[in-house]
Amino acid sequence: MPELPEVETMRRGVLPIVGSCITSVTLPRCKLKPITLLPKIAAFRRRAVGREITAIDRLGKRVLVRLDSDDIIIFEPRMTGLVLLADPPNQAHLRLQIALDGEHPQLLFWDRRGLGSVRLFSPKQMNEKLGPHLLGPDALAITVEQLRARLGKSGRAVKVALLDQKALAGVGNLYAAEILFRAGVHPEAKCQRLSVAQWTRIHEAMNVVLQTAIKYEGSTLSDGTYRNALNEAGGYQAEHLVYDREGQSCVQCEAEIVRIVQAQRSTFFCRRCQNR
DNA sequence: CATATGTCCTGAGAGC
DNA sequence: TGCTCTCAGGACATAT
């Protein structure tokens, strides 16, 4: 499930298309339910074809492709979406093809489950739909003071709060678990009960875990879905200390890693190590 | 306002 | 072997 490290890897992977122009936009024939495409294909084409790509940015878990018209194409992978330069894992789940005139002839959006979206926004629409009032600071840019100011008074469990994109952008279920393990904080601890020292450890762990995961080009889980822009698997799954390790022994204390459910999502942690 | 819950989607895997 | 059922968790709409 693409979170900050996977989406940042996608962003870096498609950087070589900066300077290329869009020559066509095509919806591949797909028997599955179509993904969200905004605006509809005709208007999308009208606004995209002939435009030069000026920059590739990341906003939380989204890839932004900026055009010389100031319009922005927003790729939102959600659970299984991929932004690719290389040929996709299969044709059946190919959702959008953008042809280019540069060294890389295509930019693709592929999505097995189809929960993702591709949208083209003006700067005004961008601010309305994805402005700072709807999305918190990036997890790699937020200061510990900002983190405490945004979450410190919450009555929610810290694991659940870390997933709130309005408070903090980029952390998802997998990395929340890894971050709290490294910080030694129990996932069910209420935010408002955490000390300054605990918030400091969470902030440090967040930076270390996310930066390291970017270095490894993200996590490709056992379903093999996540790939980088060249359709290659990531490597951080081998570094997971708690996620998807229920029943296995903790690397620090050898206690058994447990799985609980919080807000309808799995949480993995070590009862012995995460109690500080 | 803050927080909780239901929904979308497909394919893998379990159980029979 | 083939059917049915459950589960995975992004973001968002709706409910409390």
Side-chain angles (χ1 to χ4, degrees), chain A residues 61-63 74-79 81 83 109 111 115-119 130:
Chain A
K61 301 174 189 173
R62 299 163 173 96
V63 175
I74 299 112
F75 292 88
E76 185 170 287
R78 296 221 190 169
M79 294 303 298
V83 180
F109 188 69
D111 190 350
L115 297 175
S117 68
V118 181
R119 293 178 290 178
L130 289 169

Side-chain angles (χ1 to χ4, degrees), chain A residues 14-268:
Chain A
V14 299
L15 274 177
I17 66 171
V18 170
S20 295
C21 290
I22 295 173
T23 56
S24 70
V25 181
T26 314
L27 282 174
R29 45 243 165 286
C30 180
K31 293 174 184 173
L32 304 169
K33 182 161 186 195
I35 60 156
T36 298
L37 179 75
L38 282 176
K40 288 182 198 154
I41 187 68
F44 196 107
R45 274 194 191 111
R46 207 177 314 127
R47 286 167 67 176
V49 173
R51 291 298 170 187
E52 183 185 333
I53 293 165
T54 56
I56 315 279
D57 293 325
R58 179 180 57 77
L59 184 66
K61 301 174 189 173
R62 299 163 173 96
V63 175
L64 309 185
V65 174
R66 296 189 186 274
L67 307 181
D68 61 358
S69 55
D70 288 337
D71 278 344
I72 306 149
I73 302 175
I74 299 112
F75 292 88
E76 185 170 287
R78 296 221 190 169
M79 294 303 298
T80 53
L82 299 177
V83 180
L84 296 160
L85 297 184
D87 288 336
N90 65 38
Q91 292 294 316
H93 302 98
L94 185 57
R95 310 293 184 150
L96 191 73
Q97 291 176 281
I98 297 177
L100 306 169
D101 69 355
E103 193 173 321
H104 294 277
Q106 59 180 8
L107 176 64
L108 307 177
F109 188 69
W110 180 94
D111 190 350
R112 182 159 57 75
R113 280 165 65 182
L115 297 175
S117 68
V118 181
R119 293 178 290 178
L120 190 153
F121 281 166
S122 66
K124 183 174 171 236
Q125 288 175 304
M126 188 70 199
N127 190 54
E128 280 169 10
K129 305 287 184 186
L130 289 169
H133 58 297
L134 295 170
L135 209 59
D138 193 79
L140 284 177
I142 197 169
T143 64
V144 65
E145 292 81 12
Q146 283 178 305
L147 187 65
R148 282 179 55 217
R150 291 186 154 259
L151 292 177
K153 288 179 180 147
S154 169
R156 287 179 293 178
V158 60
K159 154 68 168 21
V160 176
L162 286 175
L163 302 183
D164 182 352
Q165 303 299 296
K166 229 179 194 176
L168 169 74
V171 176
N173 201 52
L174 189 162
Y175 292 101
E178 295 297 318
I179 288 164
L180 289 174
F181 176 78
R182 299 233 177 206
V185 173
H186 195 295
E188 289 178 302
K190 284 190 194 295
C191 290
Q192 63 200 168
R193 308 279 268 257
L194 295 180
S195 65
V196 174
Q198 286 175 305
W199 282 116
T200 303
R201 293 208 308 271
I202 291 169
H203 184 257
E204 283 173 7
M206 185 160 74
N207 279 287
V208 170
V209 167
L210 296 177
Q211 294 284 13
T212 309
I214 290 170
K215 238 175 245 169
Y216 281 81
E217 302 205 333
S219 299
T220 298
L221 304 180
S222 55
D223 69 358
T225 300
Y226 166 71
R227 326 288 290 177
N228 68 13
L230 300 179
N231 192 13
E232 299 160 337
Y236 193 69
Q237 63 282 355
E239 309 302 312
H240 293 176
L241 301 182
V242 286
Y243 184 81
D244 208 15
R245 295 195 66 237
E246 183 184 14
Q248 299 179 37
S249 69
C250 173
V251 293
Q252 286 182 28
C253 78
E254 299 185 358
E256 204 170 277
I257 301 299
V258 296
R259 173 185 173 272
I260 61 172
V261 173
Q262 296 179 279
Q264 290 92 241
R265 274 124 181 92
S266 294
T267 299
F268 300 89

